[in-house]
């Protein structure tokens, strides 16, 4: 949902920042790579049990990554390569955060399994979209796009870092909502396919 609606709402915040970056010569690729690097640092902090700070740092990386599109449009350098780099960066960043959570949960087998299932469904969401778009169909939509997934996960981790014991409910909510999103996207794609 944020993929579709969130960009318009975030534009008044992101556009001036993108303009400033364009003026000092920062490229969209640099912003993408920097966003990924910051997200990975956050993931490492999460693995080291600094959940609040890890969530905050990873959230900063995710926010940085949101600037590459507006910056590319501002500079007139939007390209297939840039879109590909952005997509790969999104996946690597999300996987890094889940690896950080997995390391944090290494001594709790039940929660670790939930974490792995949550990661699997998180990766299936963009996979279904990619397969739909490969067939020329619209594969967007559902409750848990990347924006929603990262917001839920990182705010949840920060809350846990502040002492609120919600790890298991957070993981269950994540598993349920991401699996429903996969089902929503599969259904939408199926309905667009000719019999």
């Amino acid at each position: 949902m944020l993929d579709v609606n969130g960009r318009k709402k975030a534009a008044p915040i992101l556009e001036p920042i993108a303009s400033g970056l364009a003026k000092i010569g920062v490229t969209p690729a640099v912003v993408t790579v920097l966003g990924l690097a910051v997200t990975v640092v956050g993931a490492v902090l999460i693995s080291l049990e600094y959940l609040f700070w890890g969530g905050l740092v990873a959230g900063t990386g995710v926010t940085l990554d949101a600037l590459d599109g507006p910056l590319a449009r501002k500079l007139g350098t939007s390209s297939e390569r840039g879109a590909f780099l952005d997509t790969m960066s999104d996946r690597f960043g999300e996987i890094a955060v889940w690896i950080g959570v997995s390391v944090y949960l290494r001594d709790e087998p039940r929660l670790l399994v939930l974490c792995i299932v949550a990661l699997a469904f998180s990766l299936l969401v963009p996979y279904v979209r990619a397969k739909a778009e490969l067939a020329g169909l619209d594969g967007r939509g559902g409750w848990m796009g990347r924006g929603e997934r990262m917001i839920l996960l990182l705010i949840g981790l920060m809350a846990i870092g502040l002492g609120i014991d919600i790890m298991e409910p957070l993981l269950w909510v994540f598993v349920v909502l991401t699996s429903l999103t996969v089902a929503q996207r599969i259904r939408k794609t199926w309905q667009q396919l000719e019999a």
Side-chain angles (χ1 to χ4, degrees):
M1 287 191 284
L2 283 177
D3 289 343
V4 179
N5 301 319
R7 294 177 202 266
K8 292 177 188 170
K9 292 178 181 174
I13 298 166
L14 297 178
E15 293 296 332
I17 299 170
S19 294
L21 292 172
K23 286 178 185 171
I24 61 172
V26 177
T27 66
V30 167
V31 172
T32 300
V33 172
L34 181 61
L36 175 59
V38 172
T39 302
V40 169
V41 169
V44 170
L45 290 172
I46 291 164
S47 75
L48 296 173
E49 302 183 13
Y50 298 105
L51 297 187
F52 177 82
W53 293 109
L56 187 63
V57 171
T60 302
V62 169
T63 303
L64 269 172
D65 184 58
L67 286 167
D68 56 6
L71 181 58
R73 287 189 290 280
K74 183 73 62 184
L75 294 171
T77 59
S78 296
S79 68
E80 292 295 323
R81 275 188 172 177
F84 178 73
L85 178 63
D86 182 49
T87 299
M88 291 297 95
S89 172
D90 291 349
R91 298 297 79 76
F92 285 127
E94 192 168 0
I95 290 167
V97 172
W98 281 113
I99 290 171
V101 176
S102 297
V103 172
Y104 173 76
L105 295 173
R106 65 190 173 275
D107 296 326
E108 300 188 49
R110 186 178 76 257
L111 297 182
L112 181 58
V113 169
L114 279 174
C115 182
I116 293 166
V117 173
L119 169 60
F121 280 122
S122 292
L123 293 177
L124 279 172
V125 171
Y127 176 79
V128 175
R129 176 179 174 175
K131 289 298 284 184
E133 290 177 353
L134 191 62
L137 307 172
D138 181 11
R140 295 173 298 169
W143 293 330
M144 293 290 281
R146 179 175 180 266
E148 291 88 357
R149 292 193 309 273
M150 295 309 288
I151 289 169
L152 175 63
L153 179 58
L154 296 174
I155 289 176
L157 290 172
M158 290 169 69
I160 295 163
L162 291 173
I164 304 169
D165 187 19
I166 57 167
M167 182 62 84
E168 187 163 357
L170 172 68
L171 292 172
W172 274 112
V173 166
F174 214 95
V175 166
V176 169
L177 292 181
T178 52
S179 65
L180 286 173
T181 302
V182 170
Q184 288 171 315
R185 289 188 175 190
I186 289 171
R187 181 175 181 268
K188 181 178 181 180
T189 303
W190 185 262
Q191 288 174 336
Q192 295 174 81
L193 291 167
E194 294 180 13

